[in-house]
Amino acid sequence: MIKKINLPITDDDIKNLNAGDSVLLTGSIITGRDAAHKRFFELIEQGKELPVDVKGELIYYVGPAPAKPGYAVGPAGPTSSYRMDKYAPALLDLGLKGMIGKGARSREVTDSIVKNGCVYFVAIGGAAALIAKSIKSEEILCYDDLGTEAVRRYEVENFPCIVAIDSRGNNVYETEPPKYQK
């Protein structure tokens, strides 16, 4: 069964998600990758405000390709999430509700997800063109100088993803591989 979530995501939504659930997200998400996360982290370390309020947001790790006519963005596949692991706990502590990317996360990130009652979704790598179809509009919020790594706001409709780590720390990267080992 596919779960449909209208954003912004709520604490109740998060509590009702289980690792392995298929989800369609509709509403607003923000984007950011390595360079933007590094800048966010430096501001946090300096005790300064971020240029974007992350409280209650989901962030998608993506650097979209240029848009084709008729599309808000070009292919927009997920970036490897481990590259943001150094920065994710600080953002979760500021109220970020979840992340969307691909691949496994560190123990520190998983612990921070549980501590903060958050969620980590994975989008399907290799499905960048399909994912782009669910993105209806984009707006650059900050760090325009970073090009494709600028922080954006996407309006999405039925954005496909899977719960990889739920708010209780259940993790498909730990539970699923043993099922397929001989």
Side-chain angles (χ1 to χ4, degrees):
M1 180 173 112
I2 297 175
K3 294 184 177 182
K4 292 188 174 197
I5 295 178
N6 290 315
L7 303 173
I9 198 164
T10 67
D11 290 338
D12 284 340
D13 290 332
I14 292 171
K15 287 175 189 170
N16 289 316
L17 292 172
N18 298 300
D21 285 349
S22 294
V23 179
L24 295 173
L25 302 171
T26 297
S28 177
I29 60 176
I30 60 174
T31 71
R33 283 182 34 176
D34 317 45
H37 276 71
K38 182 176 187 239
R39 288 185 185 180
F40 283 168
F41 189 71
E42 289 168 351
L43 290 172
I44 292 168
E45 286 183 316
Q46 296 166 15
K48 296 181 179 176
E49 277 191 40
L50 300 183
V52 174
D53 184 3
V54 299
K55 189 173 184 178
E57 296 281 359
L58 293 180
I59 192 164
Y60 181 33
Y61 304 145
V62 63
K68 293 180 180 180
Y71 291 91
V73 299
T79 298
S80 297
S81 300
Y82 75 88
R83 297 188 342 225
M84 275 57 73
D85 280 3
K86 175 180 178 181
Y87 314 117
L91 292 170
L92 293 171
D93 287 346
L94 286 179
L96 184 70
K97 284 295 184 186
M99 303 147 292
I100 307 166
K102 71 177 178 184
R105 305 306 298 266
S106 68
R107 172 56 43 204
E108 292 78 18
V109 172
T110 300
D111 290 347
S112 188
I113 288 168
V114 172
K115 171 186 155 194
N116 290 290
C118 300
V119 63
Y120 170 53
F121 295 103
V122 290
I124 308 304
L130 173 65
I131 290 170
K133 290 179 181 181
S134 71
I135 300 168
K136 302 305 177 185
S137 69
E138 79 163 354
E139 169 192 7
I140 294 180
L141 300 178
C142 64
Y143 304 144
D144 190 32
D145 62 304
L146 296 178
T148 62
E149 290 200 38
V151 175
R152 296 169 160 77
R153 178 165 306 284
Y154 284 169
E155 291 299 322
V156 299
E157 185 178 318
N158 293 323
F159 182 100
C161 54
I162 298 166
V163 177
I165 304 172
D166 64 29
S167 62
R168 293 165 302 285
N170 299 308
N171 184 337
V172 296
Y173 290 101
E174 294 172 357
T175 60
E176 297 309 300
K179 293 178 182 178
Y180 302 96
Q181 295 173 347
K182 291 183 178 182

